[in-house]
């Protein structure tokens, strides 16, 4: 039986309908109708050869992906292209959360929803989006989650939020760690540049089902999942948080050393005669 999603107000108090269509309608459409088959499979047929040729995309570890049944893909997030790149890994529709601002334009909302996106109100603990994801997994489909919650374009991976652990525990769906590298270099303004993109898939992780996962338990499972995502990321050549700190430390020391030398040189510079004479005149005036 399909679950009904009641529309809710945004975190800032605005009604869900303001600035675009009702967000609940798009969640309901993802549950009732799924993706738009004509739009989804046509674009996928165009994306796959384009990514393979133009971006020289490599997909590593696809043998780890279950061909059927509920599936939760947990990935880092570097670019707007990530959902479409990950969507080429499996030969079935994938669903993913997208920030509600992308659904404010009706034509854009229609396209994204037809491609499997459903809205999430980031930073508000959006229960409706989580309920939609649970229902999609319950019917045996695939959901992509970006635990960082936003795009992290440079440097090491960001800190994950515990929603992915909560979903894994409450649904019992296997979680596959995925790392994407190179998509952050593709877009420059409106230009889409031919940059090499790589995707690596790890072995599925399975966790015991918990009807109502506590925050501590969800956080622990999230850390386990994220450690596996980080492993795929580092295999692709990504920088870990520790390496990033080690690289920044010498640079910071060099900057402090340069600043110290500049201060020392400035202190040693001789005072111009005109400035010294002016100081002497001011001193005499104060004495008088």
């Amino acid at each position: 039986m399909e679950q009904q999603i009641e529309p809710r107000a945004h975190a800032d108090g605005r009604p869900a309908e303001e600035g675009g269509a009702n967000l609940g309608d798009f969640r309901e459409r993802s549950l009732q109708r799924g993706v738009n088959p004509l739009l989804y499979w046509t674009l996928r047929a165009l994306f796959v050869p384009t990514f393979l040729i133009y971006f020289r995309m490599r997909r590593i570890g696809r043998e780890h992906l279950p061909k059927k049944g509920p599936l939760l893909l947990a990935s880092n997030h570097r670019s707007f292209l990530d959902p479409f790149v990950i969507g080429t890994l499996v030969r079935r529709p994938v669903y993913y959360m997208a920030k509600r601002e992308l659904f404010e334009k009706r034509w854009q909302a229609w396209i994204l929803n037809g491609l499997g996106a459903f809205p999430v109100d980031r930073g508000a603990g959006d229960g409706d989006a989580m309920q939609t994801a649970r229902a999609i997994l319950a019917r045996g489909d695939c959901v992509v989650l970006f635990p960082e919650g936003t795009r992290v374009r440079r440097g090491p991976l960001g800190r994950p939020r515990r929603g992915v652990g909560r979903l894994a525990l409450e649904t019992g769906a296997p979680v596959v760690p995925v790392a994407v590298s190179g998509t952050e270099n593709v877009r420059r303004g409106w230009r889409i540049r031919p940059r090499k993109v790589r995707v690596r898939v790890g072995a599925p992780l399975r966790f015991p089902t918990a009807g109502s996962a506590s925050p501590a338990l969800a956080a622990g499972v999230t850390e386990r999942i994220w450690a596996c995502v980080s492993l795929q990321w580092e295999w692709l050549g990504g920088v870990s948080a520790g390496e990033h700190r080690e690289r920044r430390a010498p640079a910071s020391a060099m900057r402090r050393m340069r600043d110290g030398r500049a201060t020392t040189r400035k202190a040693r510079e001789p005072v111009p005669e005109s400035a010294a004479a002016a100081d002497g005149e001011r001193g005499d005036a104060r004495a008088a």
Side-chain angles (χ1 to χ4, degrees):
M1 184 173 65
E2 300 291 351
Q3 300 185 32
Q4 298 295 321
I5 306 295
E6 293 296 331
R8 298 198 307 181
H10 299 313
D12 56 9
R14 284 190 302 116
E17 295 83 353
E18 185 178 324
N22 188 339
L23 299 184
D25 291 344
F26 295 113
R27 298 186 184 111
E28 192 66 29
R29 190 171 294 130
S30 295
L31 293 176
Q32 299 286 351
R33 304 180 187 176
V35 300
N36 183 316
L38 179 61
L39 179 66
Y40 188 92
W41 294 111
T42 299
L43 287 181
R44 189 185 186 281
L46 295 174
F47 284 161
V48 171
T50 300
F51 292 170
L52 291 174
I53 297 171
Y54 192 68
F55 297 138
R56 294 169 290 164
M57 180 176 67
R58 285 187 61 200
R59 297 173 290 179
I60 306 161
R62 293 178 68 196
E63 66 275 8
H64 294 307
L65 293 165
K67 291 184 169 59
K68 58 183 180 179
L71 179 61
L72 193 53
L73 296 173
S75 173
N76 65 309
H77 196 13
R78 294 265 151 171
S79 166
F80 76 99
L81 277 176
D82 294 341
F84 308 114
V85 169
I86 295 171
T88 67
L89 293 173
V90 294
R91 294 186 177 180
R92 53 173 167 157
V94 298
Y95 297 83
Y96 57 95
M97 299 182 189
K99 60 182 181 180
R100 63 174 175 80
E101 289 83 359
L102 295 175
F103 290 81
E104 292 178 353
K105 296 179 181 178
R106 289 181 179 274
W107 64 269
Q108 183 173 274
W110 182 85
I111 293 174
L112 289 174
N113 197 224
L115 293 175
F118 55 93
V120 59
D121 199 353
R122 298 185 302 177
D126 194 338
D128 288 344
M130 293 294 287
Q131 183 180 344
T132 303
R134 282 194 294 268
I136 291 172
L137 290 169
R139 73 186 185 198
D141 282 333
C142 178
V143 173
V144 177
L145 273 188
F146 300 108
E148 293 162 300
T150 187
R151 283 178 284 184
V152 180
R153 292 183 174 86
R154 293 288 183 270
L157 302 182
R159 292 292 304 162
R161 301 181 182 182
R162 62 173 181 258
V164 63
R166 180 181 160 197
L167 267 181
L169 288 166
E170 292 180 351
T171 64
V175 184
V176 173
V178 179
V180 182
S181 174
T183 54
E184 69 274 16
N185 300 318
V186 167
R187 181 178 173 182
R188 187 170 184 178
W190 291 102
R191 292 170 54 200
I192 303 297
R193 302 179 295 175
R195 296 293 186 266
K196 190 172 184 178
V197 171
R198 294 189 297 168
V199 190
R200 193 170 196 266
V201 179
L205 303 171
R206 291 178 172 83
F207 302 94
T209 305
S212 180
S214 68
L217 183 58
V221 170
T222 298
E223 289 297 329
R224 174 76 178 104
I225 294 169
W226 200 241
C228 294
V229 174
S230 300
L231 184 64
Q232 314 309 316
W233 168 251
E234 292 170 20
W235 192 95
L236 292 176
V239 179
S240 67
E243 291 173 339
H244 186 64
R245 284 192 296 269
E246 290 175 3
R247 292 181 185 181
R248 291 187 63 183
S252 300
M254 289 296 294
R255 281 196 299 271
R256 287 194 297 269
M257 188 180 297
R258 287 196 300 267
D259 293 343
R261 287 174 180 173
T263 303
T264 303
R265 283 197 301 268
K266 187 173 182 180
R268 290 177 179 175
E269 287 178 357
V271 179
E273 294 182 2
S274 58
D279 289 342
E281 290 175 2
R282 284 195 293 269
D284 291 342
R286 283 195 298 270

